[in-house]
Amino acid sequence: MKKLALMTCIALSMTAFAQDHGEGHVMPTPPPPTEEQMAEMAATAQKLSLPPGTIKISECVPGMGEHWANPKDLPLGPIYGVHEGSLVFVEVMPAQSDFAEGKSWVDILKTPKWFLKVDHVDIEFQPQGHEGYPIPHYDIHAYFVSHEEHMAFCPPPMQ
């Protein structure tokens, strides 16, 4: 029963987030995870030392991997990239308006307990936003693997 309540809470928080942060846009709300999926996500998050409440929010995205986050931290993040059971990046998505207003973030790109060396950082401006966050913002990824390696993740199907 506790797990069902948690799943309902997650679904409601994601719906509330979509209404509060979409600036008039409706963001898709995924169906709540099953109890089995919640248990699998909790085990993976614990193995990777991700913060409590972190769940998988996307399947594998080409060039990046799966996205994991605590729904209460969205849209800014941190968002964690996972590929084949390994942490490959941490991401934040500050709104363009937050930069224009001079907002600052301190200690936002949190990594797990163990030391992960950042290989490179990609900063991409999304002038139209993207699915899940449809306002102008920046996607800032700190990758722990080489650019060549992550670009090979989840290749789109051959046509």
Side-chain angles (χ1 to χ4, degrees):
M1 189 65 174
K2 286 183 182 178
K3 289 182 184 176
L4 181 58
L6 176 63
M7 292 183 323
T8 302
C9 181
I10 291 169
L12 291 174
S13 69
M14 292 179 86
T15 301
F17 162 75
Q19 293 169 350
D20 291 345
H21 294 84
E23 294 187 12
H25 300 279
V26 177
M27 296 194 310
T29 302
T34 65
E35 287 186 33
E36 183 178 335
Q37 290 169 325
M38 287 296 293
E40 289 174 11
M41 287 188 284
T44 299
Q46 183 176 21
K47 174 186 161 239
L48 296 173
S49 297
L50 299 179
T54 301
I55 61 170
K56 183 167 74 167
I57 59 171
S58 84
E59 295 301 325
C60 199
V61 174
M64 289 190 272
E66 299 168 347
H67 287 65
W68 290 64
N70 186 324
K72 72 173 183 59
D73 294 334
L74 296 174
L76 179 61
I79 299 164
Y80 301 94
V82 177
H83 184 67
E84 296 181 351
S86 294
L87 187 64
V88 295
F89 70 79
V90 63
E91 170 187 20
V92 292
M93 299 189 305
Q96 182 182 24
S97 59
D98 288 340
F99 273 126
E101 293 167 10
K103 187 169 182 178
S104 298
W105 299 270
V106 176
D107 203 23
I108 188 73
L109 288 173
K110 298 268 186 195
T111 58
K113 295 175 187 175
W114 65 86
F115 179 77
L116 291 170
K117 180 182 176 227
V118 173
D119 181 87
H120 67 283
V121 175
D122 292 343
I123 302 172
E124 299 174 64
F125 180 55
Q126 303 290 329
Q128 308 304 318
H130 53 62
E131 183 179 352
Y133 193 28
I135 66 169
H137 69 275
Y138 292 85
D139 287 350
I140 303 172
H141 295 87
Y143 282 97
F144 309 121
V145 297
S146 71
H147 185 74
E148 181 179 81
E149 185 176 347
H150 74 79
M151 290 308 294
F153 295 166
C154 322
M158 300 297 282
Q159 301 206 31

